[in-house]
Amino acid sequence: MSIASPIPILHNSSGATLRREGDALMLRRPDQEIRIPLRAIGRVRAEGRTVAVELTAPAGTVATVHRMDDASEAAVALFAENVNEILPERDGAAEPADGASMVAIRALAESPDERRERTRKRRRKIGALSVGTVIIALAIALGICGQWSVALTTVLLGPLGPLGLHYGGTAAQSAYRTWYLPRDGIIVQARRVGSDTFLGGRFGTYAYIDRHGVARKAHKRSNDLTIMVAYHHDKPYVATVVDSRAALIGDIVFAAFALLFGLFVTGLVLAAAAYALLTGDAW
């Protein structure tokens, strides 16, 4: 019966992972993969939240060091201790080999998650540009018709409607995920690796490994050391923090309010603009 390796898998908030794979360490970053054979390692140092893999080097030369920052301090200490224990024994009288020549570095193509995120950002930019163009064009048309007060109102209030619809739709999607993923998805434990500040609030950054061995992140307004994350079994990039029923109800209420607000403001602005263009008078 095989026993799982006691060597932990290190991961950080940047998406990097460091693990033992057979007779090598595998350091995987979003843009590259570095395979470091154990026989190429002189020692592994734990430096707080940073692990430093120092390679062997001939006398008189500077040893190459591969680092990974922002990992769990406890995990880094355990990782360094366990890896140093399994390093192959060397003949003290022999000249150390050049460990750097044994390391294989492979550039990684853009991942599916990165492509999806880039596509989402491009769509958001196109949507924002389209909405802005329509609002400016409508304001110009109103100005040409002499309805400067309505034009100013359109410029000031026009963006609020689409913003409400956007945030309402996002909140509704988030609420749906919070409802169905804990029931039909895979639940894992995520460990706190840092924090971020967003809109005046401080959110914890939590990292976890999905069933394919990919390091992922989740965010929650919490000081807990660990949280539970649920993700889709076929689409691991679709994930949510497992939260309370009260939080789910809060998301639903916010989504409904934002959507109704967006529809109301959008309808009001369009109705006022149409009335002014058709009648030549403001409401």
Side-chain angles (χ1 to χ4, degrees):
M1 181 178 68
S2 62
I3 300 177
S5 171
I7 300 176
I9 299 173
L10 301 182
H11 47 83
N12 64 15
S13 57
S14 300
T17 61
L18 179 61
R19 67 175 68 197
R20 178 193 177 187
E21 291 189 0
D23 61 349
L25 297 183
M26 189 67 72
L27 175 57
R28 193 178 192 279
R29 298 190 176 101
D31 59 341
Q32 65 178 191
E33 188 176 74
I34 304 174
R35 186 179 185 279
I36 310 172
L38 294 179
R39 58 192 176 89
I41 300 174
R43 59 173 176 161
V44 179
R45 303 194 307 269
E47 302 173 350
R49 295 171 64 87
T50 298
V51 60
V53 181
E54 182 179 312
L55 306 184
T56 58
T61 62
V62 178
T64 301
V65 179
H66 293 280
R67 298 178 182 274
M68 193 181 84
D69 302 318
D70 195 29
S72 164
E73 187 170 350
V76 166
L78 181 61
F79 183 90
E81 178 183 353
N82 289 347
V83 172
N84 284 328
E85 289 179 353
I86 63 171
L87 292 179
E89 295 184 3
R90 296 181 177 86
D91 184 356
E95 177 76 7
D98 182 9
S101 64
M102 309 178 199
V103 173
I105 301 177
R106 181 170 67 92
L108 298 178
E110 187 178 42
S111 69
D113 285 357
E114 291 170 333
R115 285 196 297 272
R116 278 187 289 269
E117 182 61 24
R118 182 164 55 84
T119 300
R120 283 196 294 266
K121 288 181 179 180
R122 184 171 65 249
R123 288 176 178 173
R124 285 196 293 266
K125 289 180 180 179
I126 293 174
L129 181 61
S130 300
V131 170
T133 301
V134 171
I135 291 173
I136 295 300
L138 187 58
I140 291 174
L142 289 167
I144 293 174
C145 294
Q147 299 296 327
W148 292 107
S149 61
V150 182
L152 180 60
T153 302
T154 300
V155 172
L156 295 178
L157 297 182
L160 297 181
L163 280 177
L165 295 174
H166 169 73
Y167 285 113
T170 301
Q173 184 183 51
S174 175
Y176 178 66
R177 288 181 178 179
T178 303
W179 172 75
Y180 89 88
L181 282 178
R183 292 168 174 77
D184 301 325
I186 298 173
I187 299 178
V188 295
Q189 188 179 71
R191 182 170 297 276
R192 187 183 180 95
V193 295
S195 61
D196 293 307
T197 301
F198 178 70
L199 295 179
R202 195 162 186 82
F203 289 78
T205 300
Y206 296 83
Y208 64 96
I209 305 295
D210 67 20
R211 69 190 185 99
H212 301 295
V214 178
R216 300 186 184 277
K217 293 185 295 182
H219 301 277
K220 183 181 180 182
R221 196 166 192 166
S222 170
N223 291 320
D224 295 339
L225 293 179
T226 60
I227 62 173
M228 304 307 292
V229 176
Y231 64 87
H232 197 285
H233 61 282
D234 289 330
K235 304 173 183 177
Y237 56 88
V238 178
T240 186
V241 174
V242 178
D243 221 330
S244 64
R245 184 179 297 272
L248 174 59
I249 294 174
D251 286 344
I252 294 173
V253 171
F254 174 79
F257 173 80
L259 288 171
L260 290 174
F261 174 81
L263 289 172
F264 174 77
V265 173
T266 301
L268 182 66
V269 169
L270 292 178
Y275 182 84
L277 290 174
L278 293 174
T279 66
D281 294 324
W283 279 5

